[in-house]
Each structure stands twice: as structure tokens, then as C-alpha cells.
């Protein structure tokens, strides 16, 4: 896909304290389940860490959970986990609802934009979009290649003509973590329809 086509599919978000454009995949079945349960984004890192250890839709005996985990699960919002104290089981219902696939940071000054984009490395592919007249394009490309950050340029006066000079490195997670899940939940909080 060309960068010009890509930018048409991007959504404006604010993640990790900065405005970005992102391509996000939404898992319709989980989005529908959450809407039916009246549940939006779950962005409690401690709750996600507890849930991360449980399988989805499979019963787990309560006696296998420590006191901290039980407190977190009992305090979870409706639709996150089903607790059946009488039968002594917990069933995690919450699953990931969205995945940020690509983050695009816009700006000028190679050091700043590459640093800004690099912070998204643990979560997704990333790229920067700089003006065509970027002063030190060679150095930008060198640094960006080293960090796996794609570089796109936008022609002055032609907003629909950005193109990749360097494609973003494919995202290959080394491991999955509650921090990654939290990142995607924070994106979902901004994407979800109002009232859900």
C-alpha cells in the first residue's frame, strides 16, 4: 500500500502523550460483546495484569488465585469476568478489542520525530512524515533505518501525495504483555462510539 493510500485510512489519536495518526484494527466480535455488556475500554494496568494470566472463556478455580488477584477480579467492571463464588470459579470474558498496527508521527527535525516514533516500538510498526524540504534527509534516513522507523515525505502544496522513502520495519513482538494490552485499550477508549 502506498503512503498516500495509507494516510486515508489513519485515525487521529493521542497516545503516550502526543498526537499521532494510527491504523487500528478493531475486533468486531469483542466490540459487540462489550457494547452489549455496556463496557468500554479497560485501562487499569493492574486489572489487565491480573486478567492477562487467565485464559479467555475457560473456568479457573478460585482457590488457585491469590488474594490480590481475587480482589482485583471482584472489583472489575461488569462484563470483564464472571465470578461464581458458589461453584468456586472465575471466567475471564475480556479479550483484546483493538490493535494499533501503525503509528505515524508528523513533524520536522529528524532527531525529534525519530525519537517520538521510536517510543511506539514495543507496540506497533511506526513511521514519520516530514516535509519534503527536510534539511537533513540523509541523516534522518540513516537514523530511521537503524531504529526501524519508516520515513514518508509530503510534497509542499500537494497534501494527497505523501510517499514512503523508507518503509517501516514490520512489527514483530518479542513477547506479549499487559503493557501492550493497555496501549491498545487506550486507543480503543478514543475510538469507541460514544455511550459504550
Amino acid at each position: 500500500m502506498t503512503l498516500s493510500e495509507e494516510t486515508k485510512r489513519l485515525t487521529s489519536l493521542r497516545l503516550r502523550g502526543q498526537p499521532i495518526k494510527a491504523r487500528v484494527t478493531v475486533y468486531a466480535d469483542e466490540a459487540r460483546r462489550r457494547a452489549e455488556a455496556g463496557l468500554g475500554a479497560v485501562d487499569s494496568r493492574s486489572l489487565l495484569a491480573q486478567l492477562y494470566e487467565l485464559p479467555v472463556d475457560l473456568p479457573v478455580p478460585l482457590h488457585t488465585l491469590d488474594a490480590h488477584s481475587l480482589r482485583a477480579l471482584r472489583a472489575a467492571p461488569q462484563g470483564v469476568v464472571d465470578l461464581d463464588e458458589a461453584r468456586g470459579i472465575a471466567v475471564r470474558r475480556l479479550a483484546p478489542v483493538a490493535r494499533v498496527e501503525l503509528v505515524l508521527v508528523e513533524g520536522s527535525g529528524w532527531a525529534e520525530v525519530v525519537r517520538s516514533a521510536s517510543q511506539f516500538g514495543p507496540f506497533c510498526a511506526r513511521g514519520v512524515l516530514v516535509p519534503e524540504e527536510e534539511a537533513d534527509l540523509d541523516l534522518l534516513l540513516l537514523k530511521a533505518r537503524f531504529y526501524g522507523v519508516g520515513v514518508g515525505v509530503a510534497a509542499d502544496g500537494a497534501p494527497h501525495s505523501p510517499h514512503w522513502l523508507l518503509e517501516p520495519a514490520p512489527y514483530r513482538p518479542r513477547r506479549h504483555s499487559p503493557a501492550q494490552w493497555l496501549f491498545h485499550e487506550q486507543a480503543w477508549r478514543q475510538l469507541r462510539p460514544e455511550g459504550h
Side-chain angles (χ1 to χ4, degrees), residues 105-120:
V105 177
E106 295 183 64
S108 59
W110 64 267
E112 170 111 7
V113 292
V114 170
R115 182 175 36 254
S116 292
S118 291
Q119 71 173 312
F120 296 101

Side-chain angles (χ1 to χ4, degrees), residues 37-51:
L39 180 65
V42 176
D43 57 5
S44 164
R45 186 179 192 142
S46 61
L47 178 57
L48 291 175
Q50 299 305 316
L51 294 169

Side-chain angles (χ1 to χ4, degrees), residues 109-111 113-114 128 130 132 134-153 163-168:
W110 64 267
V113 292
V114 170
V128 298
V130 297
E132 192 172 44
E134 176 66 32
D136 204 344
L137 206 48
D138 290 336
L139 190 53
L140 169 62
L141 288 168
L142 180 68
K143 288 289 188 179
R145 186 180 312 277
F146 179 78
Y147 290 110
V149 175
V151 176
V153 294
H163 59 279
W164 289 118
L165 292 179
L166 175 65
E167 294 270 342

Side-chain angles (χ1 to χ4, degrees), residues 40-161:
V42 176
D43 57 5
S44 164
R45 186 179 192 142
S46 61
L47 178 57
L48 291 175
Q50 299 305 316
L51 294 169
Y52 188 76
E53 300 297 324
L54 302 177
V56 179
D57 294 331
L58 294 174
V60 174
L62 293 178
H63 70 82
T64 63
L65 303 173
D66 62 31
H68 176 71
S69 297
L70 281 172
R71 274 192 305 279
L73 296 179
R74 286 181 177 126
Q78 176 98 14
V80 170
V81 63
D82 293 337
L83 288 175
D84 187 337
E85 304 274 353
R87 292 178 48 213
I89 60 169
V91 180
R92 173 182 142 194
R93 298 298 181 198
L94 192 76
V97 67
R99 175 165 204 77
V100 178
E101 304 288 346
L102 171 73
V103 163
L104 189 62
V105 177
E106 295 183 64
S108 59
W110 64 267
E112 170 111 7
V113 292
V114 170
R115 182 175 36 254
S116 292
S118 291
Q119 71 173 312
F120 296 101
F123 310 110
C124 59
R126 63 252 187 252
V128 298
L129 183 61
V130 297
E132 192 172 44
E133 67 278 357
E134 176 66 32
D136 204 344
L137 206 48
D138 290 336
L139 190 53
L140 169 62
L141 288 168
L142 180 68
K143 288 289 188 179
R145 186 180 312 277
F146 179 78
Y147 290 110
V149 175
V151 176
V153 294
D156 213 12
H160 300 296
S161 68

